[in-house]
Amino acid sequence: MKILFVIPSLGRGGAERVASLLSEVWSKEHQLTLAVFDGQRNSYPSGGVFIDLNCPAVAPVHRKLSVLGHRIKLLVALIKRENPDLIISFMESANFPTIFSCLLTGKLKYLIVSIRNNPFFFPTIYRIILPLFYRMPSKVVAPSEGIRKVLLEDFHLPSELCFFIPNPVHLQRVGENTQTDGQHIMNNDFVLACGRLVKQKGFDLLISAFKQCRFSDRIDLIILGEGPEELTLKALACDLGMADRVHFLGSVSNPYPYMSKAKCFILSSRYEGWPNVLVEAMACGCPSIAFDCPFGPSEIIEHQVNGLLVPPFAVDVLSDQISLVIENDCLWNKLREGGRMRANDFQVEKIASLWLRGVG
């Protein structure tokens, strides 16, 4: 089967990591082409033939329509040349031009588009046009059951159109990479968080919760990631007297050694689509705590079985749960083993087959 996979880029991010993993699996048995609009900032490998359409996003509003038109033109030419049996598109900035391109080439019945985040937080124009244009493809895939319900109940898409497929994790690769020593892993005990330094990820809430932990005077907090909130978050840690305990180590290509050595992993997000990093931490045997935010954590974690769920924004409760995991060896071991078992449900080969079920 000939598969065309379209995504804005393979820059560092959850959707991009998923695209990388799926493309590697599919390319073993199918003729796969992975096309990106911006190939200058790749962070992940890809399977099959990689094509850079060289049409990156632009900031000025008046140029966005011209970029959209150019992307459609490029995709139409690519679709006509490749004549794929299946077209899969990730993320709205790829989904909309791919929908238009398939409309122009008569390929809509071969198209699957996938939303990768909470649609309530999309730009206004996306929320307006989504109910109309997302009726056109053969399938719309959501990375969590919560997002699928939003598409049905709030955006009124037909139930027969919308599917939930969770994100995959490459368990063997994760296991191999935990053995690699990280350059900046702390000598003393630490708790860990990972993600872009943006408001969505709730690191301000995490730092406040960490300040209240019973062990904050002898345990460190490591945050992996980059983003526009870095200076604000560092200032908050300083204001709370935690500058020597909260460490911002930037973006790392291999977070798994940190996950395997951390006392616990914390997901403090205000909202998610499906937090890949949570499953990866669980796969590393890192006891995990997450805000029960929309969407994903409650679909991954069974409370007190393979992780801990905390009410959203409940800083005091989060602080207590971090302290509890650190001081309770029995609970720590239970969550460690339960998390590893749960991560097995998301092995990449298993998830990759769900996408192609009934196709071809």
Side-chain angles (χ1 to χ4, degrees):
M1 180 166 57
K2 296 180 70 175
I3 302 173
L4 173 62
F5 199 161
V6 185
I7 188 169
S9 78
L10 284 182
R12 195 173 303 281
E16 293 84 354
R17 184 187 293 273
V18 170
S20 169
L21 292 175
L22 292 176
S23 71
E24 289 181 311
V25 174
W26 291 334
S27 64
K28 294 176 182 178
E29 297 184 1
H30 303 281
Q31 186 177 337
L32 182 132
T33 299
L34 192 148
V36 301
F37 295 125
D38 184 358
Q40 301 304 307
R41 52 192 185 95
N42 293 352
S43 297
Y44 305 112
S46 62
V49 177
F50 179 85
I51 295 180
D52 180 9
L53 296 173
N54 193 25
C55 188
V58 294
V61 175
H62 68 277
R63 290 190 57 198
K64 289 186 181 295
L65 282 178
S66 64
V67 168
L68 174 62
H70 189 44
R71 288 181 171 184
I72 294 171
K73 180 180 178 180
L74 292 169
L75 283 174
V76 165
L78 180 60
I79 291 170
K80 287 181 176 179
R81 185 174 75 243
E82 297 292 328
N83 191 28
D85 304 302
L86 177 64
I87 303 168
I88 297 173
S89 175
F90 267 30
M91 306 170 72
E92 280 54 51
S93 58
N95 290 346
F96 288 114
T98 305
I99 290 171
F100 282 117
S101 302
C102 288
L103 179 63
L104 293 172
T105 56
K107 287 284 190 178
L108 282 173
K109 66 180 179 180
Y110 305 106
L111 173 62
I112 300 173
V113 300
S114 184
I115 288 179
R116 307 311 302 171
N117 211 333
N118 189 333
F120 285 134
F121 295 92
F122 287 172
T124 301
I125 186 61
Y126 284 175
R127 297 199 305 272
I128 291 173
I129 64 178
L130 188 153
L132 172 63
F133 289 100
Y134 277 40
R135 293 173 179 269
M136 296 182 180
S138 66
K139 294 179 183 178
V140 178
V141 172
S144 66
E145 185 60 39
I147 288 181
R148 179 180 177 274
K149 289 180 179 179
V150 167
L151 295 176
L152 299 178
E153 298 172 5
D154 296 275
F155 291 88
H156 309 294
L157 294 183
S159 59
E160 65 272 15
L161 186 67
C162 299
F163 296 83
F164 156 52
I165 301 179
N167 288 346
V169 61
H170 197 305
L171 295 177
Q172 181 180 350
R173 187 173 295 167
V174 168
E176 291 170 351
N177 286 334
T178 58
Q179 305 305 314
T180 304
D181 289 334
Q183 283 185 322
H184 302 290
I185 293 182
M186 308 297 292
N187 292 325
N188 51 319
D189 289 336
F190 64 92
V191 298
L192 179 69
C194 307
R196 289 196 67 232
L197 305 184
V198 293
K199 186 176 181 181
Q200 173 192 347
K201 300 303 182 181
F203 292 129
D204 55 328
L205 304 174
L206 172 56
I207 292 170
S208 296
F210 182 69
K211 165 66 176 178
Q212 300 177 32
C213 286
R214 295 188 287 275
F215 303 96
S216 63
D217 61 336
R218 56 186 185 277
I219 286 182
D220 293 298
L221 167 62
I222 291 180
I223 298 177
L224 304 179
E226 299 173 342
E229 294 289 312
E230 181 173 352
L231 293 179
T232 301
L233 293 170
K234 286 182 175 179
L236 173 62
C238 187
D239 290 344
L240 294 176
M242 301 297 294
D244 60 336
R245 288 293 180 187
V246 181
H247 306 273
F248 297 87
L249 301 188
S251 181
V252 299
S253 59
N254 179 16
Y256 305 126
Y258 297 88
M259 292 176 177
S260 67
K261 292 178 171 60
K263 296 295 289 183
C264 65
F265 176 83
I266 304 145
L267 185 89
S268 54
S269 298
R270 291 176 163 88
Y271 65 91
E272 284 285 348
W274 178 275
N276 300 347
V277 68
L278 179 59
V279 179
E280 290 171 339
M282 295 164 75
C284 289
C286 187
S288 297
I289 307 169
F291 275 145
D292 189 9
C293 67
F295 298 102
S298 64
E299 298 178 40
I300 297 169
I301 287 178
E302 183 179 354
H303 184 59
Q304 293 187 337
V305 175
N306 48 41
L308 298 178
L309 291 172
V310 175
F313 305 101
V315 170
D316 292 347
V317 179
L318 178 58
S319 176
D320 288 340
Q321 294 300 289
I322 295 171
S323 299
L324 178 63
V325 169
I326 292 173
E327 68 185 356
N328 188 325
D329 290 341
C330 182
L331 177 62
W332 188 88
N333 283 306
K334 179 182 179 181
L335 300 184
R336 176 181 172 87
E337 295 307 315
R340 279 180 168 155
M341 291 181 62
R342 178 60 172 144
N344 288 329
D345 294 333
F346 308 110
Q347 171 66 304
V348 60
E349 288 82 7
K350 184 186 302 184
I351 301 303
S353 67
L354 296 178
W355 282 86
L356 305 186
R357 185 171 294 173
V359 177

